[in-house]
Amino acid sequence: MHIAWIGKKSPFCGNVTYGREITNALLERGYRVTFLHFATDEDSSDDHVGYEEVSLPFIFKSQILIIPSFSSARRLAEVLAELKPDLVHASLSLSPLDFKLPEICHELGIPIVATFHPAFDRKRRNLTSGTQHFTYQLYAPRLANYDRVIVFSRIQQELLVKLGVPPNRVVVIPNGVDVYRYTPGPPAIKQEFRASQIYVYQGRLAIEKNVESMLKGWKLANMGPDNKLLIVGSGPLEMALKTAYGKDDSVIWLGFVADEQRRIEILQGADAFILPSLIEGLSLSLLEAMACGAACIATDAGADGEVLENGAGIVIDTQRVAQQLQTIFPLLRNHPEMISLLGSKARQRVLDRYTLSKNITQLENLYAQMVPSKARYSVPQQVGKL
């Protein structure tokens, strides 16, 4: 089966990781993949061996938004007409072209699947979550034109159905982690940072990630010089946060870490992983930390509370994050047996629900339903129900 994948390769974000992991896994299972993305010809690279690559013109792109050039839709239609793929899978990147994709594909007689990534907080407890809810309201009528829409959690599914997307078109296929790469290992970084315990945040330094509340909680908890908080990531708030908290020697600013093996080593050395977001989808960083056996603390924004439900981690409210962490941090410091138990449960939850292998198998089943003539096995009746 030939899959035309429309996704992102830069700048780095969760959507980039999603596209890399899925397309590489599809290649390993024998699919032909053509990767279409917004880039100049100079931006194209050979870091993904095994698929064809097509650049689409753009005016602007960031981690959040892509503005295509006026010729992008025509270029895309021409490429698809020439390639004649069996199916198009669009990992949506919040672009005006998202609204035209179904029309382009249907005119060519090609079925189209979309993965819808935007973070959310169904309770709309703050301005950020209210703004993100507007994104769902804006997209819902357009998503109804896709043949299938993949989301990461049943909460997200319920929200889109409530906003008018037909229930039979919304499929739940959670994010998945390669549990052979992301696995518990030697905590070598503890010696590197001279720490008895290491706590990790990994993600963008942006308003919606609520990192400042986590830093306030760390400061209020007075964890002592032997315990370190590692900040892995960069973003628009980086300089402001460093100015406010950079004098604290127990906070280590690592910036964006491009090397995946280094990120794995950091997570393997983490006693605990914190995700204080105001809005989320289903955080791949959280799943990676869980797979490495870290005790995980996350807000109940998006699907992260669902991931950690029933004791797989500590779920906190998006309100008063600093005060909640002020209590939790010393509790973990003083009770390492709790860290060990939570880490074990986190790893098991990933093995039960969120492996990359299961993710790809569900995706294969969906493709087989949509293009049964190219299915390599009998087509199942349902896909993605949790």
Side-chain angles (χ1 to χ4, degrees):
M1 186 184 294
H2 181 191
I3 308 298
W5 183 277
I6 303 175
K8 289 181 71 174
K9 294 188 73 175
S10 67
F12 184 83
C13 61
N15 197 333
V16 172
T17 302
Y18 177 82
R20 181 191 66 213
E21 296 287 348
I22 298 296
T23 54
N24 284 345
L26 289 173
L27 288 169
E28 289 176 359
R29 296 199 183 189
Y31 290 82
R32 177 186 171 191
V33 177
T34 302
F35 200 115
L36 298 88
H37 64 111
F38 292 96
T40 63
D41 291 336
E42 291 76 17
D43 289 336
S44 297
S45 64
D46 59 356
D47 59 335
H48 295 66
V49 178
Y51 61 55
E52 306 158 73
E53 189 172 331
V54 177
S55 299
L56 300 175
F58 68 96
I59 297 171
F60 169 83
K61 67 176 177 176
S62 69
Q63 289 180 315
I64 305 297
L65 174 70
I66 293 177
I67 301 177
S69 72
F70 295 111
S71 62
S72 293
R74 184 178 68 253
R75 166 69 172 157
L76 177 62
E78 291 171 351
V79 169
L80 292 178
E82 181 179 348
L83 289 172
K84 297 181 175 60
D86 298 301
L87 181 143
V88 171
H89 189 150
S91 182
L92 298 182
S93 53
L94 297 188
S95 162
L97 189 59
D98 297 344
F99 301 156
K100 299 190 68 174
L101 287 176
E103 178 184 346
I104 292 171
C105 290
H106 291 156
E107 285 184 357
L108 294 170
I110 305 170
I112 181 167
V113 177
T115 299
F116 190 56
H117 293 269
F120 67 101
D121 182 5
R122 58 178 175 165
K123 298 181 182 178
R124 286 193 283 177
R125 290 169 283 201
N126 50 63
L127 178 61
T128 303
S129 60
T131 301
Q132 210 62 29
H133 190 79
F134 174 73
T135 301
Y136 275 70
Q137 291 175 313
L138 176 66
Y139 261 78
R142 281 79 178 183
L143 293 176
N145 296 324
Y146 285 81
D147 296 306
R148 295 291 188 277
V149 178
I150 296 171
V151 294
F152 300 136
S153 73
R154 58 178 180 268
I155 300 172
Q156 199 178 7
Q157 179 188 44
E158 291 165 1
L159 178 56
L160 285 178
V161 170
K162 184 178 180 181
L163 292 172
V165 183
N168 64 341
R169 296 195 182 183
V170 186
V171 179
V172 179
I173 302 180
N175 262 332
V177 177
D178 185 339
V179 294
Y180 299 102
R181 279 186 292 153
Y182 289 86
T183 185
I189 64 167
K190 285 188 175 180
Q191 183 176 359
E192 177 182 340
F193 293 108
R194 298 189 178 96
S196 58
Q197 284 188 336
I198 284 182
Y199 297 74
V200 173
Y201 166 81
Q202 179 176 289
R204 294 182 69 238
L205 303 183
I207 291 175
E208 68 271 13
K209 296 298 184 179
N210 202 24
V211 178
E212 184 170 13
S213 291
M214 176 188 66
L215 289 165
K216 286 181 179 177
W218 180 263
K219 184 176 181 179
L220 290 169
N222 191 23
M223 293 289 283
D226 292 336
N227 301 299
K228 307 293 185 183
L229 173 62
L230 274 53
I231 309 295
V232 182
S234 60
L237 295 184
E238 185 172 1
M239 291 308 299
L241 292 173
K242 283 185 176 180
T243 299
Y245 297 94
K247 294 181 180 179
D248 187 343
D249 292 337
S250 69
V251 180
I252 310 296
W253 304 83
L254 296 180
F256 170 63
V257 177
D259 182 67
E260 183 183 27
Q261 187 54 45
R262 175 61 170 170
R263 295 198 304 272
I264 292 173
E265 290 171 0
I266 291 169
L267 294 176
Q268 288 175 335
D271 291 280
F273 179 90
I274 308 99
L275 193 64
S277 304
L278 296 171
I279 57 172
E280 269 297 343
L282 194 164
S283 169
L284 190 55
S285 291
L286 174 62
L287 295 179
E288 290 169 349
M290 293 171 68
C292 288
C296 291
I297 309 162
T299 56
D300 60 346
D304 292 344
E306 181 180 313
V307 171
L308 297 179
E309 66 187 359
N310 300 323
I314 299 174
V315 181
I316 60 177
D317 194 273
T318 59
Q319 308 300 306
R320 302 180 71 252
V321 165
Q323 289 78 7
Q324 293 172 84
L325 291 178
Q326 180 185 5
T327 301
I328 293 169
F329 284 144
L331 187 63
L332 295 180
R333 177 192 61 197
N334 298 333
H335 297 279
E337 70 280 2
M338 182 180 294
I339 288 177
S340 178
L341 178 61
L342 288 172
S344 176
K345 288 188 173 183
R347 169 77 178 175
Q348 190 59 50
R349 175 59 52 81
V350 170
L351 294 176
D352 290 342
R353 298 187 187 178
Y354 301 107
T355 67
L356 180 60
S357 177
K358 290 178 181 177
N359 176 296
I360 300 301
T361 296
Q362 288 182 291
L363 196 57
E364 282 190 291
N365 291 342
L366 176 61
Y367 290 168
Q369 285 185 3
M370 299 184 67
V371 192
S373 62
K374 293 298 180 76
R376 293 178 295 176
Y377 42 81
S378 60
V379 179
Q381 295 300 309
Q382 286 189 317
V383 169
K385 297 297 182 182
L386 295 181

